[in-house]
Amino acid sequence: MTRTLDLENVSPKLQRIATRAWEAPQLVFNSLAHLIDVELLRVAYQRTRKDGAVGVDHQTATEFEQQLEGNLRSLVDRMHSGRYLAPPVRRVHIPKGDGRTRPIGIPTFEDKVLQRGAAMVLEAIYEQDFLDCSYGFRPGRSAHDALEALWQGLYRMRGGWVLEVDIQSFFDTIDHGHLRAFLDLRVRDGVLRRTIDKWLNAGVMEAGATWVPDAGTPQGGVISPLLANIYLHHVLDVWFEREVKPRLGGDAFLVRYADDFVIVFAHEVDARRVEAVLPKRFAKYGLTLHPTKTQLIDFRRPPRDGDATTRQPPDEDGLAKTFELLGFVHYWGKSRQGNRVVQRKTASSRLSRALARISDWCRRNMHLPVRDQHVALCAKVRGHNAYFGISGNVHALGRFRYEVERIWQRWMSRRSRSTRLRWDRFHRRLSRYPLPAPRIVHGMAIAQRTA
């Protein structure tokens, strides 16, 4: 059955492309560029975020919208005639939790629209190819779907041996030659492929200088996650399902969200064999696994006496008892009925990073009226709850709210040099301006079953 596409207000031609891709997995598409017309780009524009930072041309979404139809027609004409020139992306750096920074690219707005349109066409094909183990940046799938699939698999296998994998600088090291070879298997439309090549070679502008990387996908580009999924679909997903699993002695499954993934094995010998061969597999395609962040975890269900409720030190074999995925620490705990269950809590690195952003915001906005600060902080707390509000994580949510209150009190007390806002006075103010209470948003229907 063809996988559902989000094609509201889009030509049914895309659905026909999806049907053909589903019915003929080996079919190569040689004519696709005609699908990227004004009608499709109009929908692509509607789906493009309007409040993002501007690119190297400094054009805002509002300015683009003032002559929307003319801009869309120009974009289509330039792409089809080959006159479209992909501008370099503007690189900025955002802090990471470990003190380093993460480079982020900001394309121009019209580049985002065109990339969105191209991604919609490619998505119609590749959504029929991608395997169920892949969750990142796919329609109808989310990080919480990946977490739920992992929870269900661990429940079904009663734990196991977890291979936690970290790819070093994945989006910056994707080999263009291998990526083009993977695309050749499905898409050979000349106009579309030349446009993709232009994005791959568009270059990066930083501190007034422009340079062209010899690897990686477009920094911050809309199409970048899709190209990354295509790459790992061939490098990892298909290889694991078709070549690795048939050779294993026991059950195993893979859960991948973009470049974050874990593999769970029923047998230790299978886990160690894959652990040994995985670096060679990735090196073949120009990728490197982090030597310390890639690790094998003994995540078998612990004996009934004792309880693993916090991140444990390694055991005598040097294997940790917990692992992280998508911002959550996974560990064995007990349900209210005393049964062994896999539980999740906010990873300390993610909690620290979130609180650092709150502190930075309070520092920059402590001059605002209290009411305005309250509105903004409530939105931030609700956003945190929306992602981390998962069953069993209410304690970490409560700690986050408490720490946000402390940060707010600290910066509010600096508004006046003469009068420091003590905690008791601030607590009374919180009665007027309370922050949202911890809230479980993502419950699990079988969270209390035994594992």
Side-chain angles (χ1 to χ4, degrees), residues 188-405:
R188 295 183 188 172
D189 177 277
V191 173
L192 182 55
R193 289 294 301 274
R194 282 192 293 272
T195 304
I196 293 175
D197 282 341
K198 290 178 181 179
W199 286 323
L200 293 175
N201 298 304
V204 176
M205 179 177 290
E206 184 175 10
T210 301
W211 55 280
V212 179
D214 55 5
T217 56
Q219 289 281 333
V222 176
I223 203 170
S224 181
L226 178 57
L227 296 179
N229 268 338
I230 294 171
Y231 203 82
L232 285 180
H233 169 74
H234 292 282
V235 174
L236 177 64
D237 301 354
V238 173
W239 171 73
F240 179 76
E241 289 294 329
R242 299 179 184 176
E243 298 186 34
V244 174
K245 287 182 69 174
R247 294 180 170 87
L248 300 180
D251 196 6
F253 69 92
L254 163 70
V255 174
R256 180 176 68 81
Y257 188 92
D259 60 326
D260 293 327
F261 68 93
V262 296
I263 310 176
V264 183
F265 303 86
H267 297 162
E268 179 183 6
V269 62
D270 291 336
R272 294 198 179 277
R273 287 172 58 195
V274 175
E275 182 187 26
V277 74
L278 196 62
K280 302 175 185 177
R281 171 69 182 181
F282 275 65
K284 179 180 177 181
Y285 296 96
L287 302 176
T288 304
L289 301 186
H290 197 287
T292 58
K293 294 182 179 180
T294 299
Q295 57 181 339
L296 183 63
I297 296 97
D298 179 0
F299 201 72
R300 293 171 295 176
R301 186 176 66 179
R304 293 190 178 276
D305 56 331
D307 192 9
T309 57
T310 59
R311 196 162 179 82
Q312 300 290 314
D315 59 15
E316 61 274 9
D317 296 323
L319 298 177
K321 293 296 185 181
T322 67
F323 67 94
E324 294 185 14
L325 182 67
L326 299 176
F328 289 92
V329 173
H330 296 68
Y331 63 94
W332 283 99
K334 286 184 179 180
S335 68
R336 294 181 180 179
Q337 292 75 28
N339 299 317
R340 291 290 179 180
V341 294
V342 177
Q343 296 183 340
R344 288 80 60 88
K345 67 177 181 179
T346 308
S348 59
S349 59
R350 294 291 291 270
L351 182 62
S352 299
R353 195 185 314 168
L355 292 174
R357 288 196 296 266
I358 293 289
S359 181
D360 181 65
W361 186 90
C362 288
R363 176 184 61 81
R364 291 183 289 104
N365 295 276
M366 64 179 179
H367 62 282
L368 295 178
V370 175
R371 185 182 300 275
D372 293 346
Q373 292 189 40
H374 175 251
V375 171
L377 289 175
C378 283
K380 295 179 184 299
V381 173
R382 282 193 293 268
H384 185 88
N385 289 344
Y387 184 80
F388 290 102
I390 196 168
S391 296
N393 196 36
V394 67
H395 177 75
L397 297 179
R399 180 188 171 192
F400 176 77
R401 178 175 182 260
Y402 171 76
E403 294 296 340
V404 171
E405 292 175 347

Side-chain angles (χ1 to χ4, degrees), residues 57-117:
D57 63 352
H58 301 289
Q59 184 184 46
T60 65
T62 302
E63 294 170 345
F64 187 86
E65 186 180 15
Q66 290 174 355
Q67 298 183 5
L68 180 60
E69 294 302 313
N71 287 332
L72 295 181
R73 284 194 296 271
S74 172
L75 204 49
V76 170
D77 292 343
R78 282 181 285 143
M79 176 194 170
H80 289 177
S81 64
R83 293 182 292 109
Y84 178 77
L85 299 177
V89 298
R90 182 169 66 88
R91 171 169 283 187
V92 297
H93 293 265
I94 60 174
K96 297 175 63 174
D98 56 5
R100 297 180 298 168
T101 61
R102 183 190 305 276
I104 296 294
I106 304 174
T108 63
F109 186 79
E110 76 162 10
D111 207 30
K112 294 178 184 178
V113 173
L114 185 57
Q115 286 190 31
R116 178 77 64 185

Side-chain angles (χ1 to χ4, degrees), residues 146-214:
L147 292 167
E148 177 66 13
L150 176 59
W151 196 97
Q152 295 272 10
L154 290 169
Y155 164 75
R156 174 177 52 84
M157 289 176 52
R158 297 176 178 265
W161 297 83
V162 177
L163 185 57
E164 181 182 8
V165 183
D166 183 271
I167 308 175
Q168 291 193 120
S169 304
F170 169 67
F171 285 92
D172 293 331
T173 56
I174 291 177
D175 183 89
H176 291 174
H178 289 303
L179 177 59
R180 293 186 182 99
F182 294 147
L183 288 169
D184 283 342
L185 300 176
R186 271 304 217 178
V187 177
R188 295 183 188 172
D189 177 277
V191 173
L192 182 55
R193 289 294 301 274
R194 282 192 293 272
T195 304
I196 293 175
D197 282 341
K198 290 178 181 179
W199 286 323
L200 293 175
N201 298 304
V204 176
M205 179 177 290
E206 184 175 10
T210 301
W211 55 280
V212 179
D214 55 5

